[in-house]
Amino acid sequence: MSEASAVPTVLVVAVALIDPDGRVLIARRPEGKQLAGMWEFPGGKVEPGERPEQALIRELKEELGIDVNEACLAPFVFASHAYENFHLLMPLYLCRRWSGVVTAKEHDGLAWVKPSKLSDYPMPPADEPLIAWLRDLL
Ligand code: 9L3
Ligand code: MG
């Protein structure tokens, strides 16, 4: 096995929820979690046997208390970041329709932010390159 493949690849799914004003939801990771204090696109790990979309629907319910229809999840771009002990691969989905009220169940802050202002918020290294894609899109 080569050095490059010696670390595991972890698949995490994330979403840019977009409101009618074109603002995007970011959420702050709480104390006690890895990357605490960083603002991220919500999401989490894909569990064994899940499709990425199923994982994202589950995470959105757990983290934000909202229900999303799979047909409303559009894959947009992949993030890729090499941490010291794992390689994070993270597709970012776009979603403009959900039901329920967005509530921070696992984060300690939520913000709806214009793409042009996203760079004001400290984000995990995997998420940061996604800002430019969203700026170009929205
Ligand atoms: N992560 C990075 N950016 C994100 C998300 C949702 C997750 N937008 C990273 C943080 C952790 C790993 O992926 O290293 C797993 O995330 P979680 O299960 O701790 O949310
Ligand atoms: Mg998460």
Side-chain angles (χ1 to χ4, degrees):
M1 199 191 280
S2 72
E3 271 305 305
S5 58
V7 297
T9 297
V10 174
L11 182 61
V12 168
V13 280
V15 70
L17 292 182
I18 303 168
D19 79 3
D21 297 326
R23 297 177 307 173
V24 174
L25 182 77
I26 51 174
R28 194 172 55 199
R29 294 176 66 87
E31 285 310 315
K33 267 202 164 184
Q34 191 193 4
L35 301 167
M38 298 274 177
W39 292 85
E40 67 178 8
F41 299 106
K45 290 192 188 83
V46 178
E47 301 291 348
E50 282 182 326
R51 286 184 303 109
E53 292 83 359
Q54 291 174 318
L56 191 50
I57 288 167
R58 174 182 52 72
E59 290 281 348
L60 287 170
K61 188 71 176 177
E62 290 171 3
E63 293 189 349
L64 300 174
I66 58 172
D67 293 294
V68 175
N69 186 310
E70 187 167 334
C72 298
L73 290 175
F76 177 47
V77 65
F78 265 75
S80 172
H81 185 77
Y83 286 94
E84 206 168 307
N85 43 1
F86 66 99
H87 172 206
L88 179 70
L89 267 184
M90 187 175 77
L92 180 74
Y93 286 74
L94 304 179
C95 177
R96 296 174 187 270
R97 288 184 62 181
W98 56 90
S99 58
V101 177
V102 172
T103 310
K105 292 179 174 291
E106 297 183 1
H107 293 90
D108 70 0
L110 297 177
W112 290 96
V113 182
K114 288 270 183 206
S116 60
K117 298 280 183 206
L118 281 172
S119 49
D120 294 351
Y121 295 78
M123 289 187 120
D127 297 55
E128 231 168 50
L130 302 173
I131 297 174
W133 289 87
L134 287 169
R135 259 202 314 254
D136 289 347
L137 176 81
L138 297 170

